[in-house]
Amino acid sequence: METNANTTPTDANTTTTDPALLATPALLATPALLATPALLATPAALAAFGRTRAAVKIYGALTAAALLAVIAVASTGHMVNPFMWIRAILLPLIAVLLHRLALSASQGSRRAFERLRGISAVFPVAIVGVDLIPGVCPWWYAAVQALCVLPVIGIALTTRGTTLRAAFPKTR
């Protein structure tokens, strides 16, 4: 079989530049790398990714507000420990990661979808679990962090729904 940049794999007798044949999923990538395009373009899948993107934006806004709260508390002379500073700075950065993963997943990347599913499941448990350790942070900061991870829980529920699971079928 021979190929060139403008045609599909061919044998010696046939060649094609038909866009319909060039766009077949089998020729674009392996099923393990991309979602099923037809299922990804359904109104339900588009709505699910819309909810995911909205949740990421809400999470980003809440974590930015939490960072501003830490800055305000520190500027008024109250005690802010290094844990609070580090977390307040890192959590908005995680919003950027979640945004990139959600964008890639909505474009069909199975790998990004799996990472988004995993992070959105583990992340809220880790945040709340660490905040429950006595003496790590004040109660108000733990409450703000719990509020911040609520949209991430929504992402976890959305990515585990039947619509997106159908768009990214298991390959094994």
Side-chain angles (χ1 to χ4, degrees):
M1 263 195 163
E2 56 186 77
T3 62
N4 74 34
N6 297 324
T7 62
T8 59
T10 62
D11 58 24
N13 298 329
T14 63
T15 186
T16 185
T17 56
D18 181 14
L21 293 175
L22 289 172
T24 58
L27 297 175
L28 291 175
T30 62
L33 298 177
L34 292 178
T36 307
L39 294 175
L40 197 58
T42 64
L46 294 173
F49 277 120
R51 287 190 305 274
T52 299
R53 285 191 301 272
V56 169
K57 289 175 186 175
I58 293 168
Y59 169 73
L62 289 173
T63 57
L67 175 59
L68 292 175
V70 169
I71 292 169
V73 169
S75 67
T76 60
H78 292 85
M79 198 272 306
V80 176
N81 63 28
F83 169 80
M84 293 168 64
W85 278 113
I86 292 169
R87 179 166 295 173
I89 292 168
L90 287 179
L91 291 185
L93 296 176
I94 292 172
V96 174
L97 171 69
L98 292 175
H99 174 72
R100 290 179 55 114
L101 289 174
L103 181 63
S104 293
S106 70
Q107 294 171 348
S109 171
R110 178 175 184 74
R111 186 174 182 180
F113 177 72
E114 292 296 330
R115 287 181 177 179
L116 183 63
R117 283 186 73 198
I119 290 171
S120 65
V122 173
F123 187 63
V125 175
I127 294 296
V128 172
V130 170
D131 286 346
L132 292 176
I133 298 171
V136 169
C137 60
W139 67 267
W140 67 266
Y141 189 71
V144 167
Q145 294 300 301
L147 177 67
C148 286
V149 297
L150 289 178
V152 180
I153 294 170
I155 294 169
L157 295 174
T158 301
T159 57
R160 280 165 174 66
T162 56
T163 302
L164 293 183
R165 282 188 295 134
F168 293 93
K170 296 254 186 214
T171 57
R172 295 181 211 167

